[in-house]
Amino acid sequence: MIDSSLKEIAAALRAKKVSAVELATESLARIDAGNGRINAFVTVDREGALAAARAADARLAAGTAAPLTGIPMAHKDVFCTEGVLTTCGSKMLANFVSPYDAHVVSLLKQAGAVMVGKTNMDEFAMGSSNENSHFGPTRNPWNTDKVPGGSSGGSAAAVAARMVPIATGTDTGGSIRQPAALCGITGIKPTYGVVSRYGMIAYASSLDQGGAFGYSAEDCALLLSGMAGHDPRDSTSLERETEDYSRNLNRPLAGLRIGLPTEFFAAGMSDDVRAAVDAAIAEYRRLGATTVEVSLPNARLAIPAYYVIAPAEASSNLSRFDGVRYGHRAAEYTDLNDMYCKSRAQGFGGEVQRRILVGTYVLSHGYYDAYYIKAQKLRRLIAQDFAAAFEQCDVIAGPVSPTVAFGIGEKSDDPVQMYLSDIYTIAVNLAGLPGLAHPAGFGAGGLPVGLQLIGNYFGEARLLNVAHQFQQATDWHTRRPAN
Ligand code: GLN
């Protein structure tokens, strides 16, 4: 049953063909069978899941169920969960049990969704391959020698392996879209400010945004509807009416204008990705869309701008991990300063330390203007490029990742190569725009290829509509890895 669409699962729950407890049990059994191989989950909350499932069954019986009541799901381990470990993929937080729930977690609890566990991730959401996790790499269910993408690789792999039908993720520079693409599922990162960051452990606050993974755009729309909405506890949460992201799904695509950025199609995409992306765009034309070439001349500066701004914010955000109130503390030290130094040196992994160093450097007196201010100016130029492009089109389409999933270990010694794998996703975060990735075929080694759709601000429902129409006409999103 876990392999079915949320619509089918919800109907089966209401028709009493399956219970929430049976669904949770099925999810836990799939995790038991596959997690040793995939390492998608850091924590499995068996008792919590069964208790939540029993409560969901009671609600279903009482007729007070919400759309997500009784649906098994997973949270990326960046979201604080009361009473359950929240590690953020780090040794620093390996023993951290949060005293409260993230806003997203409490909304989904209230909706009756059944959390079965917390998913593996790159430490503090820094990475594109999940290899930066303190708990070992997550493996791609399509080929366990390959990475699942990152940083939300655990969530993407859990959904792709049919351990849960939906999961949350966060996307600071591509961390929902890229793992969705590499694992052959659908993922959406909404407009910055649509999903509350309260209780979502901060990496780069002006870029971080929570979002949804599912088998399809239709399922992502249901999950996003359950997790978005204004939250006064996050000062950047937007005061907007809550939306039903499923409302436009059935709108036909006739007349849709799809912008194809010259710069995305110029060079850099591998041939197999290119072929799948071109075929998906041809399918969109068959569905009634027209395409127009647009230009994002500053998009090539997105990676350098991001690797100044994100580490700058990270260096500030991560200064709270000092070994005093929570997190790892060194066993032996001479004085307070030595305790800070040793705790942080032991608690943070190599990539996190690299970014703290870079971030501290670019913010330091004398370099601030040369790097940080300059990067902020680039950020504005990138946002202006998108604004100009959206005068000519309704959505922008392109690749998600230049290649299909790469091998575990292939790029882990070369941070610049790793950073470059986010070339198509990062500009979207710098501009604060919504982005979606959906399955678009298969490339080298039978590995999934994704297509990226970028919307204008608050265009989430439109993106989900566009992807849903594609998924009504194609079956890439129904393909799943063997066993
Ligand atoms: N891969 C990018 C990074 O390493 C983006 C990560 C993310 O979106 N959290 O920072």
Side-chain angles (χ1 to χ4, degrees), residues 106 176 202 223 231 360 401 414 445 477:
S106 56
I176 290 177
L223 176 54
D231 174 16
T360 309
S401 161
D414 188 344
H477 66 291

Side-chain angles (χ1 to χ4, degrees), residues 30-213:
R30 289 206 54 87
I31 297 170
D32 286 342
N35 204 46
R37 211 163 38 93
I38 308 292
N39 199 23
F41 282 84
V42 172
T43 300
V44 179
D45 184 16
R46 230 166 273 279
E47 278 171 34
L50 292 171
R54 282 190 292 271
D57 280 329
R59 256 174 94 168
L60 283 153
T64 55
L68 293 171
T69 304
I71 309 277
M73 65 155 311
H75 282 298
K76 182 177 182 180
D77 213 10
V78 71
F79 288 102
C80 287
T81 43
E82 188 181 343
V84 177
L85 275 181
T86 298
T87 70
C88 219
S90 183
K91 180 178 175 186
M92 182 58 92
L93 291 176
N95 61 1
F96 176 63
V97 178
S98 169
Y100 65 95
D101 280 330
H103 187 66
V104 161
V105 171
S106 56
L107 283 180
L108 290 168
K109 249 187 204 173
Q110 282 159 29
V114 174
M115 183 192 84
V116 295
K118 308 286 295 289
T119 59
N120 204 353
M121 56 182 282
D122 283 300
E123 184 177 9
F124 287 100
M126 298 174 189
S128 308
S129 68
N130 246 76
E131 292 165 292
N132 296 336
S133 170
H134 172 63
F135 303 96
T138 298
R139 292 170 178 274
N140 192 314
W142 291 90
N143 177 341
T144 50
D145 293 332
K146 306 287 180 183
V147 304
S151 65
S152 316
S155 283
V159 172
R162 271 50 182 177
M163 294 171 177
V164 280
I166 46 172
T168 57
T170 58
D171 190 313
T172 304
S175 282
I176 290 177
R177 290 159 288 157
Q178 187 251 20
L182 269 40
C183 289
I185 60 167
T186 305
I188 182 166
K189 170 206 109 67
T191 306
Y192 182 80
V194 161
V195 167
S196 168
R197 291 183 297 106
Y198 177 82
M200 193 177 106
I201 296 171
Y203 158 24
S205 311
S206 77
L207 299 157
D208 296 343
Q209 187 57 203
F213 288 105

Side-chain angles (χ1 to χ4, degrees), residues 171 173-175 177-178 264 399-401 421-430 452:
D171 190 313
S175 282
R177 290 159 288 157
Q178 187 251 20
F264 281 17
V400 181
S401 161
S421 64
D422 296 324
I423 182 100
Y424 302 117
T425 51
I426 277 183
V428 173
N429 301 74
L430 289 169
Q452 182 174 206

Side-chain angles (χ1 to χ4, degrees), residues 13 17 57 73 138 152 176 190 192 216-217 224 270 274 298 313 398 437 451 457 470:
L13 281 167
K17 288 194 181 127
D57 280 329
M73 65 155 311
T138 298
S152 316
I176 290 177
Y192 182 80
S216 65
L224 187 60
S270 60
R274 172 96 207 200
N298 295 294
E313 295 184 18
L451 184 85
Y457 298 108
F470 182 89

Side-chain angles (χ1 to χ4, degrees), residues 390-480:
F390 281 120
E391 291 188 1
Q392 292 171 264
C393 63
D394 306 304
V395 299
I396 290 172
V400 181
S401 161
T403 62
V404 294
F406 46 91
I408 292 179
E410 199 179 314
K411 298 190 185 185
S412 47
D413 294 334
D414 188 344
V416 174
Q417 275 309 311
M418 191 69 92
Y419 298 169
L420 286 172
S421 64
D422 296 324
I423 182 100
Y424 302 117
T425 51
I426 277 183
V428 173
N429 301 74
L430 289 169
L433 292 165
L436 180 151
H438 71 64
F442 292 88
L447 292 164
V449 178
L451 184 85
Q452 182 174 206
L453 298 172
I454 303 165
N456 210 338
Y457 298 108
F458 310 115
E460 292 78 18
R462 185 63 164 152
L463 290 181
L464 290 159
N465 155 237
V466 172
H468 179 66
Q469 290 302 308
F470 182 89
Q471 292 178 337
Q472 295 298 99
T474 57
D475 69 355
W476 302 119
H477 66 291
T478 65
R479 311 287 184 88
R480 58 189 178 99

Side-chain angles (χ1 to χ4, degrees), residues 67 194 217-229 240-250 458-462 464-465:
V194 161
E218 183 181 50
D219 289 1
C220 286
L222 273 171
L223 176 54
L224 187 60
S225 300
M227 63 192 281
R240 305 181 79 246
E241 302 260 321
T242 47
E243 280 185 54
D244 169 9
Y245 293 101
S246 307
R247 68 184 187 279
N248 286 339
L249 290 178
N250 295 322
F458 310 115
E460 292 78 18
R462 185 63 164 152
L464 290 159
N465 155 237

